[in-house]
Amino acid sequence: MTKGRFGEFGGQYIPETLMPAVEELEKAFYNAKNSKKFLAEFHGLLKDYVGRPTPLTFASRLSKKLGCKIYLKREDLAHTGAHKINNAIGQAILAKHMGKKRIIAETGAGQHGTATAIAAAKLGLECDIYMGEVDIERQKPNVLRMKLAGARVIPVSSGSRTLKDAINECLRDWTASCETTHYLLGSVLGPHPYPEMVAFFQSVIGEEAEKQILVAEGRLPKAIIACVGGGSNAIGIFKKFVQEHKVELIGVEAGGMGLDSGKHAARFADKKLGRPGVLHGTFTHVLQDKFGQIYNTHSVSAGLDYSAVGPEHSMLRKLKRAKYTFATDKEALAAFKFLSETEGIIPALESSHAVAYALKYAKTCDSKDIVIINISGRGDKDLDIVVKEMGGSLE
Amino acid sequence: MSRFADRFKELEEKGEAAFIPFVVLGDPDFETSFEIIKTLIKNGADALELGFAFSDPIADGKTVQEADQRALAAGMDTDKALSLIKKIRAFNKEIPISLLVYYNLILQRGIEKFYSNAKSAGVDAVLAADCPVEEAQPLLKAAKKSEIDQVFIVAPTTTESRLKKILETANGYIYLVSTLGVTGERTSLQNRTIELIKRVKPHSKLPICVGFGISTPEHIKGIILAGADGAIVGSAIINLIKKNAGNTKAILKSVSSFCVELKKATRP
C-alpha cells in the first residue's frame, strides 16, 4: 500500500507539482509531532490563547427531558467559537517552523477560515481565504471576522460556489505558490499527511473529554455523537475512544432535504450516489454519478455541505468501529432551537445535526447511560439562516 | 513501435519538434468538438492531447475548467468521450492520441476496463493529472496490458530523487510542466522553464513535451531551442473556442490559422 492509508482509503492523488510540497510537509509534521519544543508551543497556545481545556458540560435539563445523562463537549467555547482553531493553530505553528510566509485556506461555514485568519494574525503570517460565493452570502459574520483579522477573503465563483470549489481554488493557488505558502487544510481530508495531521491536532478534544468524563462520572460513556462534514471534530473526539470498544462512536452526516431528494451530503447513507472514489487527493466515500463526476451537495449547514468524507471515517465505518447516520435540515433546525431553549447553549447548525440524532438515540438509553455530544461550534453565525428557514421569525 | 514513437522518430528525421494541441473532448459540444479536432489534424497537429471533462479539475486553470463545464453541460461523459475518440481515429489512422484524465474517471469505469476501452477507441497514451508515480501501480499494470503508454509529469518543483523515479516509470513521452501553477495562457516564457528542460533532457530517454502556459510561436521556439521535442498548447486554443462561442465557422477559422502559425514555429 502507498502512503497515508487508512485501510484501503486515503493516499496521495495530487498533481506532480504538489508532491514535493506534500513530502516536505510530511517530514515537517513528523518532526514536529516528536519535538518537545513544538508540542510545548502548541499546547501553550491551546491553553493560553484558545482557552483549552473546553468544558464538558452536564446538560441537566436536557438529560431530564431525554431520560439519560447527556454531556456536551463545549468546542463552542474555544476561541473563535469552534474546534477548527485547534488545527489552525497547530498548522500555523508548523508553517512558521517550515519558513513559510503565507498561509491559504478554504472555508465553508467560515469557521475554519476565521480560525486560520486568527491563527495567522497571532503568528504574524500573511493569509488568504478562499470561500464560495454561496457561503460568503450565508455566513457573513465570519467573513467580517476574517477581514478584521487581516485576511483577504477571495470569493470563489466556479462550480457549486461552496466548499468543494473553495478547495479546488486552494489547490490551484498552492500549485503556483507552494514554495512560499502553506495550505492550511481544515479537515481530515486531502492527500497524506493532511488526514493524519489534522486528526493529530484535533485529538485534544477526545483526550480532554475522556479525562473530564472520568472525573465527572468515573466511567466512560455509552456513546459519543458528532457531526461529520469532512469529519475533523468527529475524528478529534473519536480518536481517544477507538480502542474502547464499549463506547459507541456515531457520526451524523447532513441529510439535507432527505435522501430521496438527492439534495444532501450523506456520503455514507446514500448507497447509490455515495461510493468510494477520489476527490481532492484522497480515496474515500464521495457523492458522484456513475461516471465519477462529483455531485454538488446540499445542506442548511455550510460546514457539512461537502461531497466527500475523511478517509479515516471510511475505514472506521468499514471496520464497523463507528456508525454513521444522518439528520435532515429540518431535524437540525429543530435541534438548534431545542438545545438553545433547554440549555441556553446555541449550537452551530453543523453541531445541531449531532444534537438532532442524540434526541433519537436517547430513546434507546436508560437513565444511567451517558452520552457525549460534541458541540463542535457555536451558532451565532447561523442566526440569519435559522430565522430565514423558520419563515422570518423564531416563533 | 507505438504511434508516438513513430511520430517522434519521423519528426526527428525532419529536424522538427512536435506540435501537440490540447482540447477538451466535447467542448463546446460533441459535433463541434469533432469538427475542431479534425481542424487541428488538418492544420499541423503532430499528435493530439485530449482531455476528459471533469467536475473538479484541480490541475487546470480557469480556461480548461470552463471548457470542462461547457462539455459537461452539453452532456459529455466517459462513454461519449470514447465514442468521439473512435470517430477521430476513423478520420485519421496515424495521429498519436494521448488522454488527459482525472483519476476518478478511470477508477469509476474500472481501471482495466478504462484502458482496454481507450485502446479499442484508438488511444495511444494516458496521463492521469492527479496521479503521481507513487499511486500509479494499478494504472501502469492496466496500461501495460492494453499496450498504452503511461505518461507522467515533471514539474519545476520535482526533486532529483523524484525525477529519477519518474524517468524510470514513464512511457511515451515526458510531460514537462513549464511553470509552477495550473494550466492557462501566459505572456512570457520563464527562465525556469528553460532551466528545467536543460535539467531533464540529458537524463531522459523519452521525448520531452512542454505544456502549461505555452501560448505563442515565440514560446515554442524558446523551448525547442532549450532542447524540447514537443510543445503542448491548450488554453490558447480553447480561448478561441470560448471567444467565438456559438459561431462554429469562426471557431474553425481562428483555430486553423492559429495552428498553422504554431506548427510553423516547430520547424527549423
Side-chain angles (χ1 to χ4, degrees):
Chain A
M1 260 314 163
T2 55
K3 266 186 189 169
R5 293 282 169 169
F6 301 90
E8 74 210 73
F9 302 104
Q12 291 180 303
Y13 297 92
I14 47 168
E16 170 60 25
T17 313
L18 284 177
M19 278 304 289
V22 162
E23 286 177 346
E24 180 195 4
L25 180 61
E26 182 197 36
K27 210 173 136 201
F29 167 59
Y30 285 157
N31 283 337
K33 213 175 124 170
N34 297 309
S35 148
K36 275 187 190 152
K37 191 176 154 243
F38 176 89
L39 293 176
E41 191 177 353
F42 175 54
H43 289 290
L45 279 176
L46 285 187
K47 177 171 167 282
D48 299 328
Y49 186 67
V50 176
R52 301 204 73 94
T54 59
L56 183 73
T57 303
F58 178 59
S60 53
R61 296 205 337 122
L62 187 62
S63 296
K64 200 172 258 175
K65 282 197 178 179
L66 298 181
C68 61
K69 293 184 156 181
I70 306 272
Y71 282 84
L72 307 174
K73 181 59 177 160
R74 302 291 306 281
E75 293 303 295
D76 59 312
L77 291 178
H79 181 39
T80 71
H83 73 291
K84 292 290 185 189
I85 189 75
N86 305 327
N87 168 54
I89 287 282
Q91 283 196 49
I93 300 172
L94 191 62
K96 217 168 168 182
H97 283 219
M98 288 166 76
K100 308 283 178 185
K101 302 268 183 274
R102 171 179 175 251
I103 52 182
I104 54 170
E106 81 294 344
T107 196
Q111 288 302 124
H112 175 57
T114 302
T116 302
I118 274 166
K122 177 71 184 160
L123 289 156
L125 294 159
E126 203 187 313
C127 179
D128 287 333
I129 304 292
Y130 287 91
M131 188 170 188
E133 283 178 342
V134 170
D135 292 334
I136 288 183
E137 188 51 42
R138 60 179 166 175
Q139 301 283 341
K140 274 185 199 142
N142 275 338
V143 175
L144 295 175
R145 292 204 294 166
M146 286 182 252
K147 287 184 177 168
L148 260 177
R152 212 154 55 108
V153 179
I154 305 171
V156 175
S157 59
S158 57
S160 64
R161 297 182 292 138
T162 62
L163 184 56
K164 172 170 83 79
D165 294 276
I167 297 178
N168 288 342
E169 286 309 321
C170 272
L171 287 167
R172 290 181 183 121
D173 181 314
W174 202 34
T175 305
S177 64
C178 55
E179 291 166 316
T180 55
T181 297
H182 172 65
Y183 176 17
L184 207 158
L185 186 61
S187 194
V188 285
L189 294 164
H192 172 71
Y194 283 104
E196 183 185 337
M197 179 170 67
V198 177
F200 176 78
F201 290 134
Q202 291 294 3
S203 59
V204 64
I205 305 173
E207 277 157 21
E208 289 174 5
E210 188 197 39
K211 276 184 210 149
Q212 291 164 324
I213 198 70
L214 288 176
V215 167
E217 294 282 348
R219 62 195 165 103
L220 295 177
K222 176 181 160 74
I224 296 174
I225 303 176
C227 66
V228 179
S232 70
N233 88 84
I235 288 290
I237 195 163
F238 287 175
K239 201 112 190 143
K240 186 71 192 176
F241 297 91
V242 166
Q243 301 305 326
E244 305 286 350
H245 288 269
K246 281 187 181 157
V247 180
E248 271 186 75
L249 306 176
I250 303 169
V252 187
E253 296 184 289
M257 298 182 180
L259 293 194
D260 296 338
S261 70
K263 290 182 184 235
H264 58 73
R267 293 70 42 107
F268 288 137
D270 188 331
K271 301 276 186 300
K272 200 174 117 232
L273 299 177
R275 300 189 317 275
V278 166
L279 178 65
H280 295 145
T282 191
F283 175 62
T284 186
H285 279 75
V286 183
L287 288 174
Q288 55 187 319
D289 73 7
K290 73 166 181 167
F291 295 107
Q293 304 290 347
I294 310 304
Y295 251 72
N296 288 338
T297 49
H298 163 84
S299 170
V300 69
S301 104
L304 303 183
D305 205 351
Y306 179 62
S307 318
V309 64
E312 194 170 1
H313 286 293
S314 284
M315 180 190 74
L316 289 174
R317 177 170 173 268
K318 188 155 189 191
L319 296 173
K320 297 198 160 65
R321 178 60 197 97
K323 176 185 133 178
Y324 295 85
T325 180
F326 65 92
T328 62
D329 286 354
K330 243 187 191 158
E331 290 168 329
L333 284 161
F336 178 94
K337 212 164 161 242
F338 189 64
L339 188 67
S340 303
E341 288 166 359
T342 317
E343 291 290 336
I345 292 169
I346 304 172
L349 275 175
E350 289 76 16
S351 326
S352 299
H353 286 72
V355 177
Y357 182 71
L359 301 181
K360 288 186 192 168
Y361 182 82
K363 289 178 188 148
T364 69
C365 296
D366 64 39
S367 62
K368 289 211 178 66
D369 287 338
I370 303 167
V371 176
I372 298 179
I373 309 172
N374 197 18
I375 304 299
S376 55
R378 70 176 184 224
D380 313 41
K381 68 182 177 63
D382 296 316
L383 293 176
D384 282 353
I385 302 173
V386 173
V387 169
K388 206 167 133 199
E389 293 285 332
M390 290 188 166
S393 98
L394 286 174
E395 297 312 312
Chain B
M1 283 252 276
S2 74
R3 286 196 187 91
F4 270 102
D6 285 344
R7 181 57 48 99
F8 280 114
K9 194 166 161 255
E10 208 178 283
L11 288 166
E12 199 188 341
E13 282 161 7
K14 287 197 276 186
E16 291 179 21
F19 162 53
I20 310 176
F22 168 85
V23 289
V24 174
L25 288 158
D27 172 31
D29 57 66
F30 190 98
E31 285 309 324
T32 315
S33 182
F34 183 47
E35 293 304 317
I36 291 168
I37 294 165
K38 282 197 288 187
T39 303
L40 300 173
I41 298 173
K42 285 191 278 193
N43 291 282
D46 294 306
L48 295 172
E49 191 172 61
L50 303 174
F52 273 42
F54 184 52
S55 53
D56 294 84
I58 55 169
D60 286 297
K62 205 172 173 213
T63 303
V64 176
Q65 191 187 5
E66 285 175 356
D68 282 2
Q69 281 166 358
R70 283 193 295 271
L72 291 172
M76 209 55 195
D77 59 36
T78 305
D79 288 343
K80 288 177 192 146
L82 288 166
S83 57
L84 181 50
I85 296 167
K86 265 184 202 158
K87 284 183 78 167
I88 297 159
R89 183 47 82 211
F91 173 77
N92 185 303
K93 301 259 183 301
E94 289 81 34
I95 194 155
I97 297 178
S98 178
L99 299 186
L100 193 133
V101 199
Y102 283 87
Y103 190 85
N104 200 42
L105 299 182
I106 300 176
L107 188 66
Q108 296 308 322
R109 194 169 194 86
I111 294 175
E112 263 198 33
K113 190 177 163 200
F114 184 94
Y115 279 83
S116 94
N117 291 168
K119 182 68 182 182
S120 18
V123 168
D124 304 292
V126 169
L127 195 172
D130 52 351
C131 186
V133 274
E134 284 82 351
E135 300 285 0
Q137 277 312 317
L139 304 189
L140 286 161
K141 206 175 128 200
K144 198 173 173 193
K145 198 171 165 194
S146 290
E147 296 182 314
I148 281 181
D149 289 329
Q150 188 69 30
V151 176
F152 287 93
I153 282 175
V154 169
T157 44
T158 303
T159 54
E160 286 306 312
S161 62
R162 297 191 58 79
L163 178 62
K164 197 164 166 261
K165 226 182 324 184
I166 293 167
L167 293 177
E168 280 164 8
T169 315
N171 291 304
Y173 60 93
I174 295 296
Y175 192 128
L176 189 142
V177 167
S178 68
T179 55
L180 276 187
V182 293
T183 57
E185 269 192 271
R186 285 173 180 83
T187 47
S188 65
L189 201 59
Q190 296 181 352
N191 285 338
R192 218 173 164 178
T193 310
I194 306 297
E195 283 163 22
L196 182 61
I197 298 168
K198 289 184 175 162
R199 174 156 86 92
V200 178
K201 183 69 182 170
H203 304 291
S204 177
K205 283 177 286 186
L206 299 173
I208 292 171
C209 298
V210 182
F212 283 40
I214 305 299
S215 353
T216 67
E218 287 66 40
H219 294 168
I220 293 181
K221 283 179 191 156
I223 60 165
I224 293 172
L225 199 63
D229 304 287
I232 302 165
V233 182
S235 296
I237 294 172
I238 294 169
N239 276 333
L240 297 174
I241 301 175
K242 185 187 169 185
K243 207 174 120 194
N244 297 295
N247 185 346
T248 306
K249 238 184 191 166
I251 294 175
L252 300 181
K253 199 173 160 218
S254 58
V255 167
S256 71
S257 55
F258 189 46
C259 282
V260 168
E261 216 186 315
L262 294 173
K263 176 56 204 170
K264 220 161 114 189
T266 69
R267 297 194 179 106

